[in-house]
Amino acid sequence: MRVAFIPIEKKSLNEEPEIISSTRLAYMLSYMEQQFPEDKFFPIPDFELLIKTVPNIVGIYVADTCVFDEVIALSIKIKEKFNIPIFLFGNHITYLPKTLPSSIDIGVIGEGEPQVQLILNYYKIDPLLKEKTLAKIKGIVFHSKGQK
């Protein structure tokens, strides 16, 4: 399995983009690499590099609500290009779970490592991550029959 993690974070005007600028994202990557040593995890700074990695599933980290429009735009591009599951984690979705966009399949509430581990385990069994499968995971939000 190939899992891409993309941070969408507020940047200052003179700041150069970093591959892993967030401790939260670095911790998530480290945890997943320990849990799934046979799989590949990629911190990806932008969509162009994402295309080259050809992921099976994408996690988007967003801490700041002020960049949420960017998250929506990126998730739409990912869905159009790959049509793969996307999960969102970070402060925004934790505090505002009802804002899960239709272009994102799953929102992870709180710290998220156990939930993301379950999402990836279930993905291996059910790559479509159907509603019946997602309902087994506590601490996430997802779309159910057109509802969030």
Side-chain angles (χ1 to χ4, degrees), residues 126-143:
D126 173 16
L128 298 177
L129 290 171
K130 295 180 195 111
E131 182 179 329
K132 182 178 171 183
T133 301
L134 294 175
K136 298 174 185 177
I137 305 172
K138 294 180 193 255
I140 65 168
V141 293
F142 58 94
H143 305 283

Side-chain angles (χ1 to χ4, degrees), residues 1-6 32 36 39-44 50 53-60 78-79 82-88 104-106 108 115-124 126-129 134 137:
M1 177 172 53
R2 299 170 62 82
V3 184
F5 285 92
I6 305 172
M32 292 307 137
F36 300 95
D39 296 314
K40 301 287 182 207
F41 296 89
F42 303 94
I44 305 291
L50 180 70
T53 64
V54 190
N56 301 105
I57 187 168
V58 173
I60 300 175
I78 293 168
K79 282 292 185 188
F82 299 106
N83 195 28
I84 57 175
I86 302 171
F87 62 91
L88 180 65
I104 296 178
D105 303 285
I106 305 163
V108 177
Q115 292 89 347
V116 172
Q117 182 179 357
L118 285 171
I119 290 167
L120 298 180
N121 279 329
Y122 282 127
Y123 174 82
K124 290 180 175 191
D126 173 16
L128 298 177
L129 290 171
L134 294 175
I137 305 172

Side-chain angles (χ1 to χ4, degrees), residues 8-31:
I8 305 293
E9 299 178 287
K10 177 174 58 172
K11 294 178 178 58
S12 67
L13 294 176
N14 297 325
E15 185 177 325
E16 290 294 320
E18 297 178 36
I19 290 181
I20 303 180
S21 58
S22 164
T23 304
R24 177 86 224 110
L25 179 59
Y27 184 75
M28 179 69 78
L29 277 165
S30 174
Y31 182 86

